[in-house]
Amino acid sequence: MDATLNAELLDNLLTLANQTCASREEVRIWPMSGVERLTFTDGSTAIFKYARRPFDREDQALRLAKTLGVPVPSVHASAVLDGWLGMLLEDLGAPIREADDLDGAAAAVVLHRTRTAAALPVLDPESLHGLPARALEHLGHLRKADRWDDTHDIEDALDCIAQAAEARSAGATLGPFGWVHSEFHPTSLHIGRRGWRLLDFARAFTGPGLLDLASWHGTIDTPGPTRLRAFLEMYVSEGGTPDALAERGGLPAERWALGWHRVWAVEHSGRAQLRARWSRRHAVVGMRRGNSGPAFSPMT
């Protein structure tokens, strides 16, 4: 992010919060977003998070979640400047430990039981069915821009999935269906002295909650259906709907979830690449490492 724009965005937020910043500490910086810890002149602290599209609506999702009772950090102030969202968030401090599978299962139950919000985008069966075709469309646009041209393996996999998509999308509305965090990983679950909080709601939507459970163990490594099955059973034992274990689309729940989560990730990755205009090398390496080859195997 341009330093001048970053400073102006932060200044707007400080004005809204009636605060003066004494120091800034980088926590983590990504190509399309960043997180800093601010210390104010009165000694209090807050988190400054900024992001560009498609991550520029997180303040709305966090406020919705907070209103509906989901444990999330409070949004003290938010503003948008030249396509960049800036937020001042509650500083939760350092976690006391890493989140484990039991923590994840329990948090997912709470999120998936939350009343749906009309303001969230919806991934219904028709939209799910269309994901492979949209991913192919993104791939075509990127190739026209001389990016991702050496990706015939990805194209072949998406073609295969697109042919099976109608049948495989059956059962999309089986429970859990509602809030989907979409970036549900142990790093998105903060375990603190005052309990747990869910972070990183930038891409939250309404859809099949199994996609969250499929994402918990990561997207880059080869999918593990046996490991996910155990996690689904833990989710049910923590109070999640027993339908989470039900077969859908002609597949066991764990294979359905892993397959569709990877397809969703590919489609969103392609869309983000088009928006951000990342380099061809970064895109091809990222796609191959994260979303091709064995990643498609659960659905085929």
Side-chain angles (χ1 to χ4, degrees), residues 32 41 54 62-63 70 100 106 116 125 140 149 157-159 176 179 181 185 212 219 233 243 252 262 265:
M32 300 173 68
T41 53
L62 283 171
R63 286 181 171 123
V70 180
D100 59 24
T116 56
D149 53 351
L158 286 171
D159 274 331
W179 274 81
H181 181 278
H185 311 297
D212 275 342
T219 308
E233 291 172 353
D243 285 345
R262 298 302 171 104

Side-chain angles (χ1 to χ4, degrees), residues 217-242:
H217 293 125
T219 308
I220 294 178
D221 296 333
T222 300
T226 302
R227 189 181 189 188
L228 178 57
R229 183 71 186 191
F231 189 50
L232 294 180
E233 291 172 353
M234 184 181 294
Y235 170 83
V236 172
S237 71
E238 287 298 304
T241 173

Side-chain angles (χ1 to χ4, degrees), residues 6-19 38 40 47-50 63 75-80 85-89:
N6 181 283
E8 186 177 353
L9 180 57
L10 177 56
D11 187 60
N12 290 347
L13 291 170
L14 293 172
T15 299
L16 288 170
N18 193 29
Q19 286 283 9
L38 308 180
F40 302 128
I47 295 298
F48 171 38
K49 185 173 185 179
Y50 53 89
R63 286 181 171 123
V75 180
H76 299 319
S78 64
V80 175
L85 167 69
M87 298 182 290
L88 290 184
L89 301 173

Side-chain angles (χ1 to χ4, degrees), residues 159-259:
D159 274 331
C160 179
I161 294 171
Q163 293 175 31
E166 183 174 4
R168 293 302 192 210
S169 61
T173 56
L174 279 176
F177 187 90
W179 274 81
V180 179
H181 181 278
S182 87
E183 297 183 86
F184 192 64
H185 311 297
T187 54
S188 298
L189 183 54
H190 182 282
I191 308 296
R193 298 187 183 281
R194 293 180 294 165
W196 60 267
R197 299 287 187 277
L198 267 176
L199 316 175
D200 304 328
F201 272 74
R203 296 194 291 180
F205 61 90
T206 297
L210 286 191
L211 301 188
D212 275 342
L213 303 174
S215 73
W216 178 254
H217 293 125
T219 308
I220 294 178
D221 296 333
T222 300
T226 302
R227 189 181 189 188
L228 178 57
R229 183 71 186 191
F231 189 50
L232 294 180
E233 291 172 353
M234 184 181 294
Y235 170 83
V236 172
S237 71
E238 287 298 304
T241 173
D243 285 345
L245 302 174
E247 180 179 298
R248 57 200 76 198
L251 295 170
E254 62 273 18
R255 289 186 173 272
W256 187 95
L258 286 167

Side-chain angles (χ1 to χ4, degrees), residues 53-73:
R53 295 176 67 184
F55 309 113
D56 59 343
R57 300 182 65 186
E58 185 175 8
D59 58 331
Q60 299 175 43
L62 283 171
R63 286 181 171 123
L64 275 172
K66 184 85 169 180
T67 299
L68 295 173
V70 180
V72 296

Side-chain angles (χ1 to χ4, degrees), residues 28-46:
R28 191 164 181 182
I29 307 299
W30 298 271
M32 300 173 68
S33 62
V35 176
E36 300 180 18
R37 175 170 282 108
L38 308 180
T39 300
F40 302 128
T41 53
D42 62 5
S44 62
T45 62

